[in-house]
Amino acid sequence: MKINDVIRTRRQALGLTQEALAERLGVSGPAVNKWEKSLNYPDITLLPTLARVLGVDLNTLLSFQEDMDRGEIGRFCARLQQTAEAEGCAAAVRLAEEKLREFPRNDHLAFSAAGMLEGILAMYPEDGGAERERWRAEIAALYERAAGSEDHQVREWAVFTLAARCVGGGELERAEALLGRLSDTHREKQLLTASLRERQGRAGEAWVLLEQTLFDRAAGILSVLSQMAGLALKEGDRRRARALADRTGRFPAMIAVSVLCAAVLCNQAVTSMMGEQVLGGAYQDREELAMDIENSGILIAGLIPWSIACSIPLAMLGADASALPYALLLWLIPLCYLFTKKRYYSAE
């Protein structure tokens, strides 16, 4: 709330007219009227007295706020979108500029406002005319500012965004340098690096990166499912393990049980038996059960480095676990089956 709004709302809450407030402050009624219309501001020497008369402190009167938290930034970005819809891009840009002047050191606000304004310009490509180039330059400057932030998370977001813009715009050398600034734990770094390698004409390297990403993400899905099933098994609660089948489908549940059993028991045959024991009751069709075990436990055991089904073939080939991402059939078959299998029966 701006100072003119504070003066007006507090005066009205106290039941004072503009003339009555002016009399207490020793100024004219028109002066108060100009304050409330934001045509003029109170003299600095009047501020302590004005705050006391209105029953607020100086921070409230001057609308001073230390900083915006993430929730407030999110709400402000929603307001930018609403402003663009109602009044156009220029109004949204002005609003963002005002807020950034109010909080000049908030890098999270700078990054979020840049992203929202970039989205707004994309949504309204005909709005703004010649001003659009200036707005784009301001957005780029905000990303650059955020890329130097002391906040690690904001810096990572901004550096990744700048790198993606450089890949898309053909600035491949700068994209390479920016990717080098990203931590290896950044979730999307490998995918963006693959896009860069493709643009550089290094398709073979792009394929390797994409394969690694696919394997890592598939392994992540399986890890979550195995933990869910493992929790049920540790509690000795088969009904809960079968409830997993209700929520995720029978085959994802079988994958979870197979990963857990292959990792713990290191044996392909026992893994298959445990899959049938734990989840067999969820199947009405025994042929479907057999297919699910074949496409989960039988194959997945070959991807667990310490499992007999994996360690012996690797030893015979003179290879180590780094060869597993290239065992395409062992993980592609479960993945393809996962996404293409028809669920003939609902889990009971």
Side-chain angles (χ1 to χ4, degrees), residues 212-235:
Q212 290 175 347
T213 301
L214 180 61
F215 181 78
D216 289 344
R217 296 195 177 181
I221 294 171
L222 296 180
S223 176
V224 172
L225 290 172
S226 68
Q227 287 186 40
M228 293 172 68
L231 181 61
L233 287 173
K234 285 179 181 178
E235 293 177 347

Side-chain angles (χ1 to χ4, degrees), residues 55-344:
V56 297
D57 58 33
L58 278 173
N59 283 341
T60 302
L61 178 63
L62 297 174
S63 304
F64 178 76
Q65 181 181 354
E66 286 287 345
D67 213 341
M68 295 178 75
D69 61 33
R70 300 201 168 193
E72 291 169 326
I73 291 171
R75 290 189 289 274
F76 175 70
C77 287
R79 184 180 166 200
L80 284 179
Q81 175 64 40
Q82 294 165 358
T83 301
E85 291 175 358
E87 304 173 42
C89 294
V93 172
R94 284 195 301 272
L95 181 60
E97 289 171 341
E98 290 174 6
K99 188 62 71 175
L100 288 162
R101 282 194 294 269
E102 186 179 353
F103 298 97
R105 295 177 59 83
N106 193 318
D107 294 330
H108 188 187
L109 172 63
F111 176 79
S112 301
M116 179 56 69
L117 291 176
E118 189 170 31
I120 287 171
L121 293 186
M123 289 177 63
Y124 303 101
E126 305 301 322
D127 194 353
E131 285 291 288
R132 292 178 69 87
E133 287 305 313
R134 179 177 69 81
W135 297 341
R136 290 194 183 98
E138 289 182 8
I139 290 169
L142 289 174
Y143 283 135
E144 295 286 355
R145 166 185 154 184
S149 175
E150 294 180 1
D151 184 318
H152 173 75
Q153 188 177 51
V154 171
R155 184 172 65 250
E156 289 269 290
W157 291 341
V159 170
F160 178 83
T161 302
L162 285 171
R165 287 162 63 96
C166 287
V167 170
E171 299 178 57
L172 305 186
E173 289 187 11
R174 182 153 192 252
E176 189 81 61
L178 287 165
L179 282 169
R181 291 171 55 186
L182 281 178
S183 64
D184 290 335
T185 57
H186 193 287
R187 180 174 174 80
E188 302 298 328
K189 181 177 180 178
Q190 270 195 321
L191 277 179
L192 185 56
T193 304
S195 297
L196 175 60
R197 296 290 175 264
E198 181 186 357
R199 295 291 299 272
Q200 291 171 330
R202 297 155 65 179
E205 294 178 38
W207 270 108
V208 171
L209 289 167
L210 292 171
E211 288 171 356
Q212 290 175 347
T213 301
L214 180 61
F215 181 78
D216 289 344
R217 296 195 177 181
I221 294 171
L222 296 180
S223 176
V224 172
L225 290 172
S226 68
Q227 287 186 40
M228 293 172 68
L231 181 61
L233 287 173
K234 285 179 181 178
E235 293 177 347
D237 189 348
R238 292 189 180 182
R239 292 181 63 187
R240 183 172 293 181
R242 289 173 183 173
L244 177 63
D246 287 338
R247 291 192 296 271
T248 65
R250 290 183 287 276
F251 185 60
M254 185 65 75
I255 289 176
V257 171
S258 298
V259 169
L260 179 68
C261 292
V264 174
L265 303 173
C266 306
N267 186 288
Q268 202 173 42
V270 177
T271 295
S272 302
M273 292 169 60
M274 287 298 296
E276 193 281 332
Q277 288 292 312
V278 174
L279 293 174
Y283 290 81
Q284 297 179 15
D285 188 326
R286 304 302 287 180
E287 181 180 346
E288 181 189 0
L289 171 61
M291 287 294 295
D292 281 10
I293 291 174
E294 178 182 351
N295 289 322
S296 59
I298 300 297
L299 295 171
I300 287 170
L303 291 171
I304 307 295
W306 52 89
S307 170
I308 295 172
C310 179
S311 58
I312 291 179
L314 286 178
M316 291 175 63
L317 293 170
D320 58 25
S322 63
L324 291 179
Y326 302 99
L328 299 180
L329 291 179
L330 292 182
W331 53 270
L332 275 179
I333 289 176
L335 274 179
C336 292
Y337 187 70
L338 174 66
F339 293 113
T340 60
K341 176 193 172 186
K342 294 180 179 180
R343 298 177 185 177
Y344 300 105

